[in-house]
Amino acid sequence: MLSTAGALGVASLVFVLARWLLRRERGDRILLADAGPVAIPLSALWPPKGRLGDYWSHFIPFDRAGTTVVPCIFPLTAQRCIHVADAEAMKTILNDRHGFVKNTKEYELLGFFGANILCTEGDEWVRHRSIARKSFGEKNNALVWSETVRVLDEWFMPWDHAGSSTTTNITDDLRHITLFVIASAGFSLKLVRSKMARPSAGFRMPFGEALFTAVHTVFLRIATPRFLYSLPIPSLQRCDTAYTELERYIRQMIVEAREGETGVSDASEAADLFRRLVDANQAETGARLSDEELAANIYVYFVAGHETSSHTLTFALALLAIHPEVQEKLYDEVQRVWPDLNSEQWSSSTLNDSTKLEYALAVFRETLRLFPAAIRISRWATGDMTIPCQNRNAAGCWEPGRVAVRAGTSCILNLHSVHMSPLYWGDDAAAFRPERFLSEWPRDAWVPFTCGPHVCLGQRFATLESICVLARIVRKYRLAPTPEIAVLPREQQWARLTKWTVGITVTPGPVQLVLERRYK
């Protein structure tokens, strides 16, 4: 028995080695970790820090390799891939939708309710995209701004009544603020802070809690066999309830939207994303989205419109607390826009104010450069081709080159490595310096929303919401670390307040900040 098992083991090892040797090409580096979905839950343990595949490696592996595009092979599967940290190469890959196709397996985490714009590619993706893009427009942008103002005014009340200063978990606050904004501007759901813990009639869990739980237990949902959910395990039962109730909430929204149709045939007449999505789908003369597909896309809207924005804003406020000189520059700008907090200009702020907040926009962009929602994405090469790169020569200077890419190669686009590359951002690439976005800056090397045909449809939504939140919080409050953090050197404050893990997106930890009122 043992000899048979041993023989099978040796045969398997020989097979793996032979396949690896046959597929390996000259110049390929051995990759220590696969770049697939399994890499996310293992990211804190493997690969070693600073190596290719490490989410926290910045530009280090590419600097060590002396090139911005590194061909690799993963021995266990003999899968060839290239790790890319080159802005021009990324632009080439992301703009060629047919030569480099999306790896839909990356987005299976968001496909629980069915096919959606993220989980599809090819003609199916075109069908989803053509309808989804009609959800966004200038009327929705105006609604995003006004609803963000309204939500913040409600959220400020307990802070204002707490005295001259208050300490708050800003991570949790922003998680709810961005949920309220996407619920209102996206789906005409007016969530109220005082009632957010109560489930709607006929439901077992409040909407916000169902969404939060579904997002935070996504890996548990994937890894756990369905039969285990029938066992009395509290964590599994809570996860199952969250997904069941969230799907019920979303399907009820679809039914209510159809029952409440106003006869508007042009989606541009509506303002909220959901109404525009349903109207666009009804007006579609080709293949419409099914109710299951509508529900799946709504789930994506909620996750993308709330999860990513809340995390970006958490990092931004933490960075402002760590860098009071940047915070005061932002305060000077917003004070010019809203000099009087008792004026109608403040209480009834409109979308026009967004054009006056250039430094707030720079803070937002710099935060996304340092902490993009996605550290990396991938594409599959459909044919043999070459892509640009930069190589360091014997004199230590970087010069342009080309790299061959074979059909079937997995192209790992390291967005964060490009954002942290001194080739584009200078020797202070790791520093928080919003001023770099106030003059000419390397636009091709800033890709938090990606680019090309798959560019994020919600980029304008997220930008407007975020600069409104940043500007109005800083106008009313001075942000500071808690006393035990404030006494630490700035580097240690940064390490403590901007620590993150990998989930559906880059996820900050709980951040406690002191908010001191700037007004009497």
Side-chain angles (χ1 to χ4, degrees), residues 465-479:
E465 177 190 23
S466 296
I467 63 174
C468 185
V469 170
L470 291 174
R472 291 181 78 85
I473 287 180
V474 170
R475 177 62 185 89
K476 292 195 73 172
Y477 309 98
R478 180 177 290 104
L479 307 168

Side-chain angles (χ1 to χ4, degrees), residues 63-82:
D63 184 61
R64 185 184 292 124
T67 180
T68 56
V69 177
V70 182
C72 306
I73 189 166
F74 184 51
L76 190 61
T77 61
Q79 171 62 52
R80 296 197 70 250
C81 68
I82 56 169

Side-chain angles (χ1 to χ4, degrees), residues 40 143 145 149 184 221 225 243 258 475 500:
I40 296 177
L143 182 63
W145 189 270
V149 169
S184 180
R221 185 75 170 180
Y243 275 91
R258 290 218 174 94
R475 177 62 185 89
W500 54 272

Side-chain angles (χ1 to χ4, degrees), residues 329-337 356-360:
K329 286 183 181 179
L330 178 56
Y331 175 68
D332 290 342
E333 177 180 77
V334 299
Q335 190 178 37
R336 290 193 298 270
V337 176
K356 308 168 190 174
L357 296 167
E358 294 182 4
Y359 197 69

Side-chain angles (χ1 to χ4, degrees), residues 315-324 327 432 479-481 490 493 497 511-514:
F315 287 122
L317 293 183
L319 289 168
L320 290 173
I322 297 168
H323 299 83
Q327 185 180 163
F432 177 60
L479 307 168
R490 180 171 288 185
Q493 291 183 34
L497 294 180
V511 176
Q512 295 278 340
L513 293 181
V514 177

